[in-house]
PDB file of all heavy atoms in Angstrom:
ATOM      1  N   LEU A 214     -25.856 142.757-104.994  1.00  0.00           N
ATOM      2  CA  LEU A 214     -24.805 141.939-105.595  1.00  0.00           C
ATOM      3  C   LEU A 214     -23.630 141.903-104.645  1.00  0.00           C
ATOM      4  O   LEU A 214     -23.180 142.950-104.168  1.00  0.00           O
ATOM      5  CB  LEU A 214     -24.370 142.506-106.943  1.00  0.00           C
ATOM      6  CG  LEU A 214     -23.234 141.729-107.646  1.00  0.00           C
ATOM      7  CD1 LEU A 214     -23.432 141.700-109.161  1.00  0.00           C
ATOM      8  CD2 LEU A 214     -21.844 142.322-107.320  1.00  0.00           C
ATOM      9  N   ILE A 215     -23.125 140.699-104.374  1.00  0.00           N
ATOM     10  CA  ILE A 215     -21.971 140.533-103.485  1.00  0.00           C
ATOM     11  C   ILE A 215     -20.783 140.026-104.289  1.00  0.00           C
ATOM     12  O   ILE A 215     -20.871 139.019-104.998  1.00  0.00           O
ATOM     13  CB  ILE A 215     -22.280 139.553-102.342  1.00  0.00           C
ATOM     14  CG1 ILE A 215     -23.436 140.073-101.489  1.00  0.00           C
ATOM     15  CG2 ILE A 215     -21.039 139.337-101.476  1.00  0.00           C
ATOM     16  CD1 ILE A 215     -23.854 139.118-100.384  1.00  0.00           C
ATOM     17  N   ASP A 216     -19.661 140.743-104.162  1.00  0.00           N
ATOM     18  CA  ASP A 216     -18.389 140.282-104.715  1.00  0.00           C
ATOM     19  C   ASP A 216     -17.767 139.334-103.696  1.00  0.00           C
ATOM     20  O   ASP A 216     -17.244 139.745-102.668  1.00  0.00           O
ATOM     21  CB  ASP A 216     -17.470 141.478-104.971  1.00  0.00           C
ATOM     22  CG  ASP A 216     -16.077 141.066-105.447  1.00  0.00           C
ATOM     23  OD1 ASP A 216     -15.795 139.852-105.521  1.00  0.00           O
ATOM     24  OD2 ASP A 216     -15.264 141.968-105.736  1.00  0.00           O
ATOM     25  N   GLY A 217     -17.857 138.040-104.003  1.00  0.00           N
ATOM     26  CA  GLY A 217     -17.371 137.018-103.077  1.00  0.00           C
ATOM     27  C   GLY A 217     -16.003 136.470-103.413  1.00  0.00           C
ATOM     28  O   GLY A 217     -15.644 135.388-102.940  1.00  0.00           O
ATOM     29  N   SER A 218     -15.217 137.224-104.182  1.00  0.00           N
ATOM     30  CA  SER A 218     -13.916 136.714-104.633  1.00  0.00           C
ATOM     31  C   SER A 218     -13.021 136.275-103.477  1.00  0.00           C
ATOM     32  O   SER A 218     -12.344 135.244-103.561  1.00  0.00           O
ATOM     33  CB  SER A 218     -13.193 137.784-105.456  1.00  0.00           C
ATOM     34  OG  SER A 218     -13.887 138.082-106.626  1.00  0.00           O
ATOM     35  N   GLN A 219     -13.003 137.062-102.408  1.00  0.00           N
ATOM     36  CA  GLN A 219     -12.149 136.723-101.271  1.00  0.00           C
ATOM     37  C   GLN A 219     -12.862 135.865-100.237  1.00  0.00           C
ATOM     38  O   GLN A 219     -12.206 135.250 -99.386  1.00  0.00           O
ATOM     39  CB  GLN A 219     -11.642 138.010-100.603  1.00  0.00           C
ATOM     40  CG  GLN A 219     -10.826 138.909-101.502  1.00  0.00           C
ATOM     41  CD  GLN A 219      -9.545 138.260-101.983  1.00  0.00           C
ATOM     42  OE1 GLN A 219      -8.986 137.372-101.344  1.00  0.00           O
ATOM     43  NE2 GLN A 219      -9.066 138.699-103.145  1.00  0.00           N
ATOM     44  N   ALA A 220     -14.178 135.784-100.312  1.00  0.00           N
ATOM     45  CA  ALA A 220     -14.920 135.012 -99.314  1.00  0.00           C
ATOM     46  C   ALA A 220     -15.014 133.533 -99.669  1.00  0.00           C
ATOM     47  O   ALA A 220     -14.940 132.673 -98.789  1.00  0.00           O
ATOM     48  CB  ALA A 220     -16.316 135.591 -99.139  1.00  0.00           C
ATOM     49  N   ALA A 221     -15.208 133.243-100.945  1.00  0.00           N
ATOM     50  CA  ALA A 221     -15.373 131.840-101.350  1.00  0.00           C
ATOM     51  C   ALA A 221     -14.209 130.961-100.906  1.00  0.00           C
ATOM     52  O   ALA A 221     -14.429 129.797-100.543  1.00  0.00           O
ATOM     53  CB  ALA A 221     -15.585 131.761-102.865  1.00  0.00           C
ATOM     54  N   PRO A 222     -12.952 131.462-100.898  1.00  0.00           N
ATOM     55  CA  PRO A 222     -11.858 130.617-100.414  1.00  0.00           C
ATOM     56  C   PRO A 222     -11.752 130.535 -98.895  1.00  0.00           C
ATOM     57  O   PRO A 222     -11.053 129.667 -98.377  1.00  0.00           O
ATOM     58  CB  PRO A 222     -10.602 131.295-100.973  1.00  0.00           C
ATOM     59  CG  PRO A 222     -11.073 132.358-101.896  1.00  0.00           C
ATOM     60  CD  PRO A 222     -12.455 132.707-101.478  1.00  0.00           C
ATOM     61  N   HIS A 223     -12.398 131.451 -98.169  1.00  0.00           N
ATOM     62  CA  HIS A 223     -12.131 131.581 -96.737  1.00  0.00           C
ATOM     63  C   HIS A 223     -13.324 131.305 -95.825  1.00  0.00           C
ATOM     64  O   HIS A 223     -13.134 131.041 -94.638  1.00  0.00           O
ATOM     65  CB  HIS A 223     -11.620 132.988 -96.431  1.00  0.00           C
ATOM     66  CG  HIS A 223     -10.331 133.348 -97.099  1.00  0.00           C
ATOM     67  ND1 HIS A 223      -9.161 132.645 -96.894  1.00  0.00           N
ATOM     68  CD2 HIS A 223     -10.037 134.324 -97.990  1.00  0.00           C
ATOM     69  CE1 HIS A 223      -8.191 133.183 -97.616  1.00  0.00           C
ATOM     70  NE2 HIS A 223      -8.702 134.202 -98.288  1.00  0.00           N
ATOM     71  N   LEU A 224     -14.539 131.401 -96.342  1.00  0.00           N
ATOM     72  CA  LEU A 224     -15.732 131.279 -95.502  1.00  0.00           C
ATOM     73  C   LEU A 224     -16.672 130.211 -96.043  1.00  0.00           C
ATOM     74  O   LEU A 224     -16.595 129.834 -97.207  1.00  0.00           O
ATOM     75  CB  LEU A 224     -16.486 132.611 -95.446  1.00  0.00           C
ATOM     76  CG  LEU A 224     -15.741 133.838 -94.912  1.00  0.00           C
ATOM     77  CD1 LEU A 224     -16.646 135.061 -95.012  1.00  0.00           C
ATOM     78  CD2 LEU A 224     -15.282 133.622 -93.477  1.00  0.00           C
ATOM     79  N   VAL A 225     -17.570 129.764 -95.192  1.00  0.00           N
ATOM     80  CA  VAL A 225     -18.682 128.933 -95.649  1.00  0.00           C
ATOM     81  C   VAL A 225     -19.725 129.888 -96.218  1.00  0.00           C
ATOM     82  O   VAL A 225     -20.290 130.708 -95.495  1.00  0.00           O
ATOM     83  CB  VAL A 225     -19.278 128.106 -94.493  1.00  0.00           C
ATOM     84  CG1 VAL A 225     -20.482 127.316 -94.984  1.00  0.00           C
ATOM     85  CG2 VAL A 225     -18.218 127.169 -93.917  1.00  0.00           C
ATOM     86  N   VAL A 226     -19.955 129.819 -97.519  1.00  0.00           N
ATOM     87  CA  VAL A 226     -20.863 130.734 -98.205  1.00  0.00           C
ATOM     88  C   VAL A 226     -22.195 130.033 -98.465  1.00  0.00           C
ATOM     89  O   VAL A 226     -22.230 128.940 -99.036  1.00  0.00           O
ATOM     90  CB  VAL A 226     -20.259 131.224 -99.536  1.00  0.00           C
ATOM     91  CG1 VAL A 226     -21.257 132.094-100.291  1.00  0.00           C
ATOM     92  CG2 VAL A 226     -18.962 131.988 -99.286  1.00  0.00           C
ATOM     93  N   ASP A 227     -23.271 130.673 -98.067  1.00  0.00           N
ATOM     94  CA  ASP A 227     -24.618 130.136 -98.273  1.00  0.00           C
ATOM     95  C   ASP A 227     -25.481 131.272 -98.820  1.00  0.00           C
ATOM     96  O   ASP A 227     -25.951 132.116 -98.069  1.00  0.00           O
ATOM     97  CB  ASP A 227     -25.183 129.613 -96.950  1.00  0.00           C
ATOM     98  CG  ASP A 227     -26.547 128.941 -97.096  1.00  0.00           C
ATOM     99  OD1 ASP A 227     -27.265 129.256 -98.065  1.00  0.00           O
ATOM    100  OD2 ASP A 227     -26.903 128.115 -96.235  1.00  0.00           O
ATOM    101  N   VAL A 228     -25.676 131.284-100.132  1.00  0.00           N
ATOM    102  CA  VAL A 228     -26.392 132.409-100.739  1.00  0.00           C
ATOM    103  C   VAL A 228     -27.841 132.469-100.287  1.00  0.00           C
ATOM    104  O   VAL A 228     -28.437 133.558-100.234  1.00  0.00           O
ATOM    105  CB  VAL A 228     -26.307 132.359-102.277  1.00  0.00           C
ATOM    106  CG1 VAL A 228     -24.869 132.553-102.734  1.00  0.00           C
ATOM    107  CG2 VAL A 228     -26.890 131.065-102.848  1.00  0.00           C
ATOM    108  N   GLN A 229     -28.415 131.328 -99.945  1.00  0.00           N
ATOM    109  CA  GLN A 229     -29.798 131.344 -99.476  1.00  0.00           C
ATOM    110  C   GLN A 229     -29.910 131.975 -98.096  1.00  0.00           C
ATOM    111  O   GLN A 229     -30.831 132.754 -97.818  1.00  0.00           O
ATOM    112  CB  GLN A 229     -30.360 129.922 -99.457  1.00  0.00           C
ATOM    113  CG  GLN A 229     -30.434 129.293-100.841  1.00  0.00           C
ATOM    114  CD  GLN A 229     -31.175 127.969-100.827  1.00  0.00           C
ATOM    115  OE1 GLN A 229     -32.378 127.919-100.588  1.00  0.00           O
ATOM    116  NE2 GLN A 229     -30.454 126.880-101.096  1.00  0.00           N
ATOM    117  N   ALA A 230     -28.961 131.655 -97.222  1.00  0.00           N
ATOM    118  CA  ALA A 230     -28.977 132.242 -95.885  1.00  0.00           C
ATOM    119  C   ALA A 230     -28.619 133.722 -95.916  1.00  0.00           C
ATOM    120  O   ALA A 230     -29.177 134.524 -95.148  1.00  0.00           O
ATOM    121  CB  ALA A 230     -28.007 131.489 -94.976  1.00  0.00           C
ATOM    122  N   VAL A 231     -27.701 134.103 -96.799  1.00  0.00           N
ATOM    123  CA  VAL A 231     -27.283 135.502 -96.903  1.00  0.00           C
ATOM    124  C   VAL A 231     -28.424 136.368 -97.425  1.00  0.00           C
ATOM    125  O   VAL A 231     -28.615 137.501 -96.986  1.00  0.00           O
ATOM    126  CB  VAL A 231     -26.038 135.625 -97.808  1.00  0.00           C
ATOM    127  CG1 VAL A 231     -25.768 137.079 -98.166  1.00  0.00           C
ATOM    128  CG2 VAL A 231     -24.820 135.024 -97.107  1.00  0.00           C
ATOM    129  N   GLY A 232     -29.168 135.843 -98.396  1.00  0.00           N
ATOM    130  CA  GLY A 232     -30.310 136.583 -98.912  1.00  0.00           C
ATOM    131  C   GLY A 232     -29.984 137.568-100.012  1.00  0.00           C
ATOM    132  O   GLY A 232     -30.756 138.506-100.260  1.00  0.00           O
ATOM    133  N   CYS A 233     -28.859 137.371-100.712  1.00  0.00           N
ATOM    134  CA  CYS A 233     -28.490 138.273-101.801  1.00  0.00           C
ATOM    135  C   CYS A 233     -29.233 137.910-103.081  1.00  0.00           C
ATOM    136  O   CYS A 233     -29.864 136.855-103.177  1.00  0.00           O
ATOM    137  CB  CYS A 233     -26.981 138.230-102.044  1.00  0.00           C
ATOM    138  SG  CYS A 233     -26.337 136.565-102.377  1.00  0.00           S
ATOM    139  N   ASP A 234     -29.121 138.786-104.071  1.00  0.00           N
ATOM    140  CA  ASP A 234     -29.723 138.521-105.375  1.00  0.00           C
ATOM    141  C   ASP A 234     -28.706 138.022-106.391  1.00  0.00           C
ATOM    142  O   ASP A 234     -29.052 137.261-107.296  1.00  0.00           O
ATOM    143  CB  ASP A 234     -30.395 139.795-105.895  1.00  0.00           C
ATOM    144  CG  ASP A 234     -31.569 140.214-105.027  1.00  0.00           C
ATOM    145  OD1 ASP A 234     -32.561 139.462-104.985  1.00  0.00           O
ATOM    146  OD2 ASP A 234     -31.487 141.267-104.378  1.00  0.00           O
ATOM    147  N   PHE A 235     -27.467 138.477-106.256  1.00  0.00           N
ATOM    148  CA  PHE A 235     -26.369 138.004-107.100  1.00  0.00           C
ATOM    149  C   PHE A 235     -25.147 137.759-106.211  1.00  0.00           C
ATOM    150  O   PHE A 235     -24.898 138.518-105.268  1.00  0.00           O
ATOM    151  CB  PHE A 235     -25.984 139.037-108.169  1.00  0.00           C
ATOM    152  CG  PHE A 235     -27.082 139.400-109.124  1.00  0.00           C
ATOM    153  CD1 PHE A 235     -27.780 140.594-108.961  1.00  0.00           C
ATOM    154  CD2 PHE A 235     -27.413 138.579-110.189  1.00  0.00           C
ATOM    155  CE1 PHE A 235     -28.786 140.954-109.839  1.00  0.00           C
ATOM    156  CE2 PHE A 235     -28.426 138.927-111.078  1.00  0.00           C
ATOM    157  CZ  PHE A 235     -29.111 140.112-110.902  1.00  0.00           C
ATOM    158  N   TYR A 236     -24.395 136.711-106.537  1.00  0.00           N
ATOM    159  CA  TYR A 236     -23.141 136.435-105.834  1.00  0.00           C
ATOM    160  C   TYR A 236     -22.128 136.022-106.889  1.00  0.00           C
ATOM    161  O   TYR A 236     -22.425 135.172-107.737  1.00  0.00           O
ATOM    162  CB  TYR A 236     -23.314 135.316-104.796  1.00  0.00           C
ATOM    163  CG  TYR A 236     -22.205 135.251-103.771  1.00  0.00           C
ATOM    164  CD1 TYR A 236     -22.329 135.906-102.550  1.00  0.00           C
ATOM    165  CD2 TYR A 236     -21.025 134.558-104.027  1.00  0.00           C
ATOM    166  CE1 TYR A 236     -21.308 135.876-101.610  1.00  0.00           C
ATOM    167  CE2 TYR A 236     -20.005 134.516-103.094  1.00  0.00           C
ATOM    168  CZ  TYR A 236     -20.151 135.175-101.881  1.00  0.00           C
ATOM    169  OH  TYR A 236     -19.141 135.150-100.945  1.00  0.00           O
ATOM    170  N   VAL A 237     -20.937 136.621-106.846  1.00  0.00           N
ATOM    171  CA  VAL A 237     -19.926 136.331-107.863  1.00  0.00           C
ATOM    172  C   VAL A 237     -18.610 135.971-107.189  1.00  0.00           C
ATOM    173  O   VAL A 237     -18.287 136.463-106.101  1.00  0.00           O
ATOM    174  CB  VAL A 237     -19.722 137.531-108.807  1.00  0.00           C
ATOM    175  CG1 VAL A 237     -21.021 137.889-109.520  1.00  0.00           C
ATOM    176  CG2 VAL A 237     -19.189 138.756-108.069  1.00  0.00           C
ATOM    177  N   PHE A 238     -17.858 135.094-107.836  1.00  0.00           N
ATOM    178  CA  PHE A 238     -16.496 134.821-107.381  1.00  0.00           C
ATOM    179  C   PHE A 238     -15.661 134.295-108.529  1.00  0.00           C
ATOM    180  O   PHE A 238     -16.182 133.950-109.596  1.00  0.00           O
ATOM    181  CB  PHE A 238     -16.462 133.869-106.178  1.00  0.00           C
ATOM    182  CG  PHE A 238     -16.905 132.456-106.451  1.00  0.00           C
ATOM    183  CD1 PHE A 238     -15.991 131.472-106.806  1.00  0.00           C
ATOM    184  CD2 PHE A 238     -18.240 132.096-106.311  1.00  0.00           C
ATOM    185  CE1 PHE A 238     -16.405 130.165-107.035  1.00  0.00           C
ATOM    186  CE2 PHE A 238     -18.665 130.796-106.537  1.00  0.00           C
ATOM    187  CZ  PHE A 238     -17.739 129.821-106.895  1.00  0.00           C
ATOM    188  N   THR A 239     -14.375 134.238-108.307  1.00  0.00           N
ATOM    189  CA  THR A 239     -13.431 133.881-109.366  1.00  0.00           C
ATOM    190  C   THR A 239     -12.745 132.562-109.047  1.00  0.00           C
ATOM    191  O   THR A 239     -12.458 132.263-107.882  1.00  0.00           O
ATOM    192  CB  THR A 239     -12.408 135.021-109.564  1.00  0.00           C
ATOM    193  OG1 THR A 239     -11.720 134.834-110.786  1.00  0.00           O
ATOM    194  CG2 THR A 239     -11.427 135.103-108.419  1.00  0.00           C
ATOM    195  N   GLY A 240     -12.483 131.767-110.077  1.00  0.00           N
ATOM    196  CA  GLY A 240     -11.967 130.416-109.861  1.00  0.00           C
ATOM    197  C   GLY A 240     -10.544 130.353-109.344  1.00  0.00           C
ATOM    198  O   GLY A 240     -10.204 129.479-108.536  1.00  0.00           O
ATOM    199  N   HIS A 241      -9.699 131.266-109.795  1.00  0.00           N
ATOM    200  CA  HIS A 241      -8.278 131.142-109.439  1.00  0.00           C
ATOM    201  C   HIS A 241      -7.997 131.496-107.992  1.00  0.00           C
ATOM    202  O   HIS A 241      -6.923 131.185-107.478  1.00  0.00           O
ATOM    203  CB  HIS A 241      -7.405 131.973-110.383  1.00  0.00           C
ATOM    204  CG  HIS A 241      -7.548 133.449-110.250  1.00  0.00           C
ATOM    205  ND1 HIS A 241      -6.703 134.206-109.475  1.00  0.00           N
ATOM    206  CD2 HIS A 241      -8.416 134.323-110.804  1.00  0.00           C
ATOM    207  CE1 HIS A 241      -7.045 135.472-109.554  1.00  0.00           C
ATOM    208  NE2 HIS A 241      -8.087 135.575-110.354  1.00  0.00           N
ATOM    209  N   LYS A 242      -8.959 132.099-107.305  1.00  0.00           N
ATOM    210  CA  LYS A 242      -8.764 132.370-105.873  1.00  0.00           C
ATOM    211  C   LYS A 242      -9.289 131.231-105.006  1.00  0.00           C
ATOM    212  O   LYS A 242      -8.981 131.181-103.810  1.00  0.00           O
ATOM    213  CB  LYS A 242      -9.430 133.693-105.492  1.00  0.00           C
ATOM    214  CG  LYS A 242      -8.838 134.905-106.201  1.00  0.00           C
ATOM    215  CD  LYS A 242      -9.441 136.200-105.705  1.00  0.00           C
ATOM    216  CE  LYS A 242      -9.175 137.371-106.625  1.00  0.00           C
ATOM    217  NZ  LYS A 242      -7.754 137.693-106.802  1.00  0.00           N
ATOM    218  N   VAL A 243     -10.070 130.318-105.591  1.00  0.00           N
ATOM    219  CA  VAL A 243     -10.520 129.138-104.847  1.00  0.00           C
ATOM    220  C   VAL A 243      -9.715 127.916-105.279  1.00  0.00           C
ATOM    221  O   VAL A 243     -10.240 126.819-105.360  1.00  0.00           O
ATOM    222  CB  VAL A 243     -12.035 128.884-104.988  1.00  0.00           C
ATOM    223  CG1 VAL A 243     -12.836 129.917-104.250  1.00  0.00           C
ATOM    224  CG2 VAL A 243     -12.459 128.814-106.442  1.00  0.00           C
TER     225      VAL A 243
END
């Protein structure tokens, strides 16, 4: 499981390329 709260606003996130099972983020930071 990846906590992507700070990544979703700053990086190009590709859950398929990363290969994780869960990815989470919060709306107010994006």
Side-chain angles (χ1 to χ4, degrees):
L214 179 143
I215 299 177
D216 175 357
S218 296
Q219 300 297 334
H223 298 300
L224 301 177
V225 177
V226 176
D227 184 336
V228 295
Q229 296 188 67
V231 168
C233 56
D234 295 295
F235 300 102
Y236 197 94
V237 300
F238 67 92
T239 195
H241 69 95
K242 297 185 196 299
V243 289

